[in-house]
């Protein structure tokens, strides 16, 4: 199996890069755009291994000193540019880690590779410093700018980079990966793959998070009984949600997935498309008691609650209002 075959999805990016290597058309600057956890760092590291592998063929071999060093992030010719402040990459950090070192020849391989994660956080001065290295690149330099939003880059930077969008990975591939590589139960793998919405990193993170799974069980306990819960029970659940305040967007997304399943079952009766197949009995009961109009209003309520909490409206009353409103939707 080729190194890139182990990376889920994004075949156009992988094929483009392999073609560039075959035809000796490696660019000096790439932008990988995708949400956090979408695989940008995995792709950049894989390309670094291929470019620096010491094997004559079958690159990357995974066994030579260069491949091992890239894997352990201690290869002298692969510089992972870091930053101290969480929300900004300063010009000083770009100068000290990139500009002042790029003229030094590679120590081992044919390329010197710089990987800037969260590159959209570079301020204007930092971007201008990077721009100079892109406009007059060393023949051996390759820059990977990993970002969640290409709109944060100066037009001059964008115009001199090859930009590639890292796309969501299909749920079946994520499910297969979780089962085969992470040993996740197939039923749970269905949920994690659906919840991650194409984000492999997110799927792996929540699968290995006891806190997330505790939150999931809390949400499911509420969801299964929504149609028959009394106001006292709903109020108690809203109070308990305070424990998940820091992850409330994920909590609300679990609720969205449940009502999405209700919508799918109500309109298609297709069990194979459900994420919560193990709760089909509860879904059937609730689907019979919710109209399509009511489901639409529930999704609106979920969005409204998320906006209220994001705007720092009182947390517990916001959850109370949501739960009471949803309960009233059931006929």
């Amino acid at each position: 199996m080729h190194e890139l075959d182990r990376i889920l999805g994004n075949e156009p990016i992988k094929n483009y890069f392999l073609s560039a290597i075959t035809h000796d058309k490696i660019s000096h600057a790439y932008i990988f755009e995708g949400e956090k956890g979408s695989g940008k760092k995995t792709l950049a590291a894989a390309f670094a291994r291929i470019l620096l592998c010491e094997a004559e063929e079958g690159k990357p071999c995974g066994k030579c000193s260069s491949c091992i060093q890239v894997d352990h992030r201690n290869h002298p010719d692969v510089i992972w540019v870091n930053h101290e402040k969480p929300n900004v990459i300063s010009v000083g950090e770009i100068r000290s880690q990139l500009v002042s070192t790029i003229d030094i020849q590679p120590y081992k391989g044919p390329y010197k590779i710089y990987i800037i994660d969260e590159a959209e956080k570079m301020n204007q001065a930092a971007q201008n410093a990077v721009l100079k290295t892109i406009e007059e690149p060393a023949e051996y330099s390759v820059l990977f700018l990993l970002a969640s939003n290409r709109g944060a880059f100066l037009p001059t930077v964008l115009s001199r980079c090859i930009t590639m969008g890292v796309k969501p990975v299909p749920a079946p591939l994520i499910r297969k990966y979780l089962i085969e590589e992470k040993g996740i139960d197939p039923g749970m793998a269905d949920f994690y793959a659906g919840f991650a919405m194409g984000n492999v990193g997110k799927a792996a993170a929540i699968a290995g998070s006891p806190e997330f799974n505790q939150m999931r069980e809390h949400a499911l306990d509420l969801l299964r009984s929504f149609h028959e819960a009394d106001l006292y029970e709903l109020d108690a659940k809203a109070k308990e949600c305070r424990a998940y305040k820091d992850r409330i967007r994920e909590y609300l997304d679990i609720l969205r997935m449940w009502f999405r399943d209700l919508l799918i079952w109500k309109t298609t009766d297709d069990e194979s498309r459900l994420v919560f197949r193990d709760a089909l009995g509860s879904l059937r009961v609730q689907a019979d008691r919710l109209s399509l109009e009511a489901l639409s209003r529930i999704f609106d309520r979920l969005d409204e609650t998320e906006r209220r909490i994001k705007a720092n409206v009182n947390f517990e009353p916001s959850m109370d209002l949501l739960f009471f409103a949803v309960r009233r939707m059931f006929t």
Side-chain angles (χ1 to χ4, degrees):
M1 179 182 286
H2 193 278
E3 166 75 14
L4 294 184
D5 292 334
R6 298 182 184 277
I7 300 175
L8 302 182
N10 287 289
E11 301 304 322
I13 296 179
K14 294 186 286 188
N15 292 337
Y16 174 90
F17 198 81
L18 289 174
S19 176
I21 292 173
T22 300
H23 297 95
D24 195 25
K25 297 290 186 181
I26 300 298
S27 175
H28 289 289
Y30 298 89
I31 292 173
F32 289 170
E33 181 189 38
E35 66 177 29
K36 184 179 180 181
S38 60
K40 302 186 295 294
K41 285 185 285 189
T42 300
L43 284 166
F47 295 155
R49 278 192 293 276
I50 295 171
L51 291 173
L52 296 173
C53 179
E54 299 165 25
E56 292 297 323
E57 56 185 41
K59 297 182 179 184
C61 66
K63 300 176 182 178
C64 69
S65 63
S66 284
C67 284
I68 292 170
Q69 285 180 311
V70 173
D71 280 342
H72 290 85
R73 291 201 180 186
N74 60 7
H75 195 292
D77 297 327
V78 181
I79 296 88
W80 291 81
V81 176
N82 53 58
H83 54 101
E84 291 185 4
K85 295 181 179 179
N87 296 319
V88 65
I89 301 176
S90 70
V91 64
E93 288 164 328
I94 292 298
R95 285 172 177 164
S96 64
Q97 297 176 67
L98 193 158
V99 177
S100 67
T101 64
I102 200 165
D103 289 335
I104 301 172
Q105 294 277 338
Y107 290 96
K108 291 184 64 174
Y111 296 97
K112 191 166 189 175
I113 299 166
Y114 292 84
I115 302 174
I116 307 178
D117 191 21
E118 301 182 309
E120 73 276 7
K121 294 182 178 179
M122 290 190 294
N123 59 27
Q124 185 170 334
Q127 289 193 49
N128 281 323
V130 167
L131 180 61
K132 291 181 180 179
T133 68
I134 298 173
E135 289 178 330
E136 300 177 4
E139 61 180 8
Y140 47 76
S141 68
V142 179
L143 272 64
F144 290 108
L145 308 181
L146 316 182
S148 59
N149 175 22
R150 75 179 73 184
F153 291 114
L154 297 172
T156 45
V157 172
L158 280 173
S159 68
R160 287 164 175 78
C161 297
I162 293 177
T163 300
M164 298 181 175
V166 181
K167 303 299 184 184
V169 176
L173 289 181
I174 297 180
R175 180 183 186 274
K176 184 172 185 289
Y177 163 75
L178 291 174
I179 294 170
E180 296 181 357
E181 301 294 330
K182 299 295 184 179
I184 302 299
D185 173 80
M188 291 301 297
D190 282 333
F191 171 81
Y192 296 136
F195 186 86
M197 299 292 289
N199 189 315
V200 180
K202 184 176 183 178
I206 61 176
S209 168
E211 295 82 5
F212 178 87
N213 286 292
Q214 182 185 46
M215 180 175 69
R216 175 185 179 275
E217 289 306 311
H218 183 276
L220 276 177
D221 185 56
L222 166 69
L223 289 162
R224 290 190 186 101
S225 61
F226 237 140
H227 60 289
E228 57 188 5
D230 60 36
L231 295 185
Y232 174 80
E233 291 171 321
L234 294 176
D235 184 61
K237 283 292 184 183
K239 287 182 169 64
E240 292 167 3
C241 280
R242 184 165 290 280
Y244 312 117
K245 185 176 180 179
D246 291 341
R247 304 186 72 159
I248 198 60
R249 181 175 182 181
E250 290 178 315
Y251 191 96
L252 294 174
D253 280 344
I254 295 171
L255 270 57
R256 287 188 179 97
M257 286 181 65
W258 177 271
F259 291 109
R260 169 193 167 275
D261 271 8
L262 279 172
L263 180 62
I264 289 172
W265 180 255
K266 195 170 182 67
T267 55
T268 71
D269 284 349
D270 186 352
E271 183 179 346
S272 68
R273 295 176 59 190
L274 303 180
V275 173
F276 294 102
R277 286 196 290 273
D278 58 343
L280 183 55
S282 297
L283 290 170
R284 282 172 170 161
V285 170
Q286 293 187 8
D288 288 340
R289 297 181 59 178
L290 282 176
S291 67
L292 292 177
E293 181 184 357
L295 279 168
S296 177
R297 293 203 302 271
I298 288 173
F299 287 118
D300 289 341
R301 283 285 188 170
L302 288 166
D303 292 343
E304 179 185 351
T305 300
E306 185 170 339
R307 287 193 297 270
R308 286 169 62 86
I309 292 172
K310 189 175 182 180
N312 293 317
V313 176
N314 288 341
F315 178 82
E316 192 175 308
S318 295
M319 298 304 292
D320 261 328
L321 286 171
L322 171 65
F323 293 169
F324 295 164
V326 173
R327 177 66 181 87
R328 287 195 297 270
M329 301 291 181
F330 290 95
T331 57

